Amino acid sequence: MKKTLLFALLAAPFVSHAASPTESVNKAIEAMGGNNLQQLKTLTVRARTRHWEPHQSVQAGGEMRFSCDSIYTQSRDVSTGATRTDWERNYVYPATRTYKFSEILAGGIGYVNGIDTTARTKQSLESNPPQHTMSGLRVAATTRELTRNSPSLLVEMAKNPKRLQAVADQNVDGRSLPAVRYQGNNATYIAMFDPATGLPERIRTRDYEPLEGDSNYALVLSDWCTVDGFNYPYKQVYQLNGRNVIETSVEDVNVNPPLGADVFAIPEPYRAGAPKMAAYGKVPYQWVLRRPFIGTLLDSDAVLYDPQASSGLRLADVAPGVSHVQGGSHNSLIVEMDKFLVVFDAPIGEAQSKWTMDAASKKYPGKPFKYVVLTHHHMDHSSGIRIYAAAGATVVVGQGNADFFKKVLTSPDSLGADSPKKKINPNVVEVAGSYIITDGKRDVGAYLIENPHAAGYLMGYVHDVKLGFVTDLWSPGRDPLPPRLNPGLAAVVNGVKNWNLEPERFAGGHGSTGSFPDLLKVAAATN
Ligand SMILES: [Zn+2]
């Protein structure tokens, strides 16, 4: 081992006045237990973890949504990298529910035993008991995080000195932290060290976040405790641009426990044909990592839809000159005007916006998107906004949302695979009551409505065809109408009444279309 370290030391680039990257890494290994860390074979950790989602808040840019309080037990085989995490996730958003499941990553593929999401794939729905293979995107994103919080990451760095690079000390909260850059198999990490103890303090990646642009995503390690001559961080916090989105408190660590091979076993039917880990750089990390914060990841390499269940996105003609983008987990609504188009919502990300613009240019040639109306700011219905704005569309949002979206559209976005990567001059209209887009023949309205889901919410309405559009308050065709109104459905009924609209049907940001008189019957049965 000493030989390896000596070689590493000599191979490292010389940096004056500061420790070389290899010296910083070796110092950290010593601080974490030296030989005891290098001898680590297996590890079991039990922890409690809590999740907050920044972009499912009530107010755009406001207090993050607390979503989930979980416990997990994680077992690792350090030599093979195989990991199993047994979860009990207790969600309070978007609905109260508990998911108990196991995630196994081994041999470059992933497997989930149990139900882990409301957006289940066909494979999960048809398996009894429920289980499914992970998408290659989820394998890649999960592997990146397992590497980031692995106690052996520093040992891996020491073994790969050519992948280490010196970087300037990093300023964090007024402190200057020595740092190294490490090109791992799955990501580029910036590791920062506590100057006093030499322990790793922060491990950061640069991620694309559609609403925040190029972002810092960092794991912050603290509360180091000694277990069997080896030091482990009992507090692990993930920060997205400085805000705590995951807080983990470790309750128990077991060093070198015996782990049978069956701990990491993936049943043959789920091993055969399992997607391989997606290529580094092709992964929408923040989407794949954060949809599980609220238990809604559609675990699919197509991201926008489940290829086993859908042939892909399609334009459904729901009225003359009105096309509903269906076939995926999230929809938008395109309305044709005399010389231009209006679209409601920009779901999931720029890939779906590109598809929508492409399909619209074939269906409605020569008509650009002049307006994009957002029902609300939640990430899954607004993250594709940049593409429309970059193409010159005016962004129409509800009261209290304009400043947030001006910031979104002017934040740098060099890291997004599909992002427009050009400077956008945002043209954002904020609606405090109603806003009518007209070509003299067709009126398309956006109406601010009271609702329990998001502040500054707009309901869409195409007057001549008596068609409404709402997202998340009612998902017609997906969620059957209940016998009595729930708060979301009541908001739709009241919004229609307050604005004196006369819809025959609604199209949804999820699902398909539904009859408004049927919803009124439910309203009449409520009281
Ligand atoms: Zn929402």
Side-chain angles (χ1 to χ4, degrees), residues 56 93 376 378 380-381 453 471-472:
Q56 296 286 342
Y93 180 87
H376 67 300
H378 288 169
D380 54 326
H381 299 285
H453 190 69
T471 294
D472 289 345

Side-chain angles (χ1 to χ4, degrees), residues 485-499:
L485 290 183
N486 60 37
L489 296 172
V492 176
V493 171
N494 290 333
V496 164
K497 201 167 122 193
N498 291 342
W499 288 106

Side-chain angles (χ1 to χ4, degrees), residues 26-40 43 45 149-155 197-201 221-236 250 252-256:
N26 288 341
K27 193 176 164 194
I29 291 172
E30 282 311 311
M32 288 175 72
N35 266 340
N36 288 332
L37 176 64
Q38 283 160 340
Q39 303 297 317
L40 186 68
L43 188 72
V45 173
N149 88 345
S150 170
S152 297
L153 176 60
L154 275 296
V155 177
T197 63
L199 287 164
E201 180 171 319
L221 306 171
S222 62
D223 290 8
W224 291 83
C225 298
T226 307
V227 194
D228 293 343
F230 150 77
N231 290 321
Y232 192 80
Y234 271 56
K235 180 125 186 135
Q236 305 186 8
V250 173
D252 192 39
V253 176
N254 203 341
V255 180
N256 292 325

Side-chain angles (χ1 to χ4, degrees), residues 45 83 88 152 203 238 247 287 294 369-370 384 472 496 515:
V45 173
T83 308
E88 179 183 318
S152 297
I203 300 167
Y238 270 98
E247 290 183 4
W287 178 262
I294 61 169
F369 283 99
K370 200 168 163 189
D472 289 345
V496 164
S515 150

Side-chain angles (χ1 to χ4, degrees), residues 102-430:
S102 301
E103 279 179 319
I104 298 173
L105 282 107
I109 60 170
Y111 160 77
V112 177
N113 187 6
I115 295 171
D116 62 338
T117 180
T118 42
R120 293 169 66 189
T121 58
K122 187 162 181 266
Q123 187 191 33
S124 166
L125 290 164
E126 290 181 352
S127 297
N128 187 17
Q131 54 205 305
H132 70 275
T133 50
M134 282 186 196
S135 62
L137 294 174
R138 180 169 172 182
V139 174
T142 309
T143 301
R144 187 184 79 163
E145 298 317 320
L146 288 168
T147 305
R148 193 197 303 253
N149 88 345
S150 170
S152 297
L153 176 60
L154 275 296
V155 177
E156 183 190 315
M157 288 183 187
K159 285 178 181 164
N160 295 283
K162 286 182 179 163
R163 295 182 179 193
L164 281 174
Q165 232 187 321
V167 290
D169 290 1
Q170 303 286 301
N171 279 311
V172 178
D173 302 333
R175 291 166 67 234
S176 182
L177 307 182
V180 300
R181 177 184 282 117
Y182 176 63
Q183 180 58 61
N185 292 323
N186 305 97
T188 304
Y189 304 96
I190 303 283
M192 298 168 227
F193 304 95
D194 181 335
T197 63
L199 287 164
E201 180 171 319
R202 217 164 243 274
I203 300 167
R204 186 171 76 196
T205 53
R206 292 284 286 164
D207 281 11
Y208 180 60
E209 206 290 333
L211 298 180
E212 299 187 30
D214 298 346
S215 294
N216 285 333
Y217 193 53
L219 174 64
V220 186
L221 306 171
S222 62
D223 290 8
W224 291 83
C225 298
T226 307
V227 194
D228 293 343
F230 150 77
N231 290 321
Y232 192 80
Y234 271 56
K235 180 125 186 135
Q236 305 186 8
V237 173
Y238 270 98
Q239 292 186 341
L240 176 65
N241 293 322
R243 292 201 285 179
N244 292 9
V245 293
I246 308 178
E247 290 183 4
T248 298
S249 303
V250 173
E251 288 171 352
D252 192 39
V253 176
N254 203 341
V255 180
N256 292 325
L259 296 174
D262 58 329
V263 169
F264 308 109
I266 297 176
E268 181 54 32
Y270 299 90
R271 211 165 58 219
K276 294 274 177 291
M277 188 183 319
Y280 166 57
K282 298 239 187 268
V283 185
Y285 288 102
Q286 289 296 319
W287 178 262
V288 179
L289 293 171
R290 279 173 36 219
R291 289 300 278 172
F293 284 22
I294 61 169
T296 56
L297 178 71
L298 176 66
D299 198 356
S300 160
D301 282 317
V303 182
L304 313 177
Y305 60 94
D306 173 12
Q308 305 283 314
S310 167
S311 54
L313 302 183
R314 63 179 182 274
L315 295 184
D317 298 325
V318 292
V322 183
S323 299
H324 197 204
V325 178
Q326 297 181 356
S329 58
H330 293 64
N331 311 327
S332 52
L333 187 77
I334 301 167
V335 185
E336 182 189 26
M337 310 297 278
D338 61 347
K339 294 191 175 68
F340 61 94
L341 303 172
V342 179
V343 64
F344 285 90
D345 282 353
I348 302 189
E350 280 131 1
Q352 180 148 343
S353 300
K354 276 186 172 173
W355 185 93
T356 304
M357 290 181 91
D358 196 44
S361 74
K362 287 177 189 135
K363 172 116 185 147
Y364 306 110
K367 296 191 178 183
F369 283 99
K370 200 168 163 189
Y371 295 93
V372 50
V373 184
L374 296 177
T375 55
H376 67 300
H377 67 278
H378 288 169
M379 61 187 276
D380 54 326
H381 299 285
S382 66
S383 286
I385 192 70
R386 284 170 196 264
I387 294 272
Y388 293 107
T394 295
V395 177
V396 180
V397 296
Q399 194 168 30
N401 285 273
D403 286 346
F404 177 78
F405 280 100
K406 281 179 196 162
K407 198 171 161 198
V408 167
L409 294 168
T410 50
S411 57
D413 67 344
S414 66
L415 302 172
D418 298 299
S419 63
K421 298 184 182 64
K422 68 178 245 194
K423 200 172 178 325
I424 298 169
N425 274 325
N427 187 4
V428 181
V429 170
E430 186 172 285

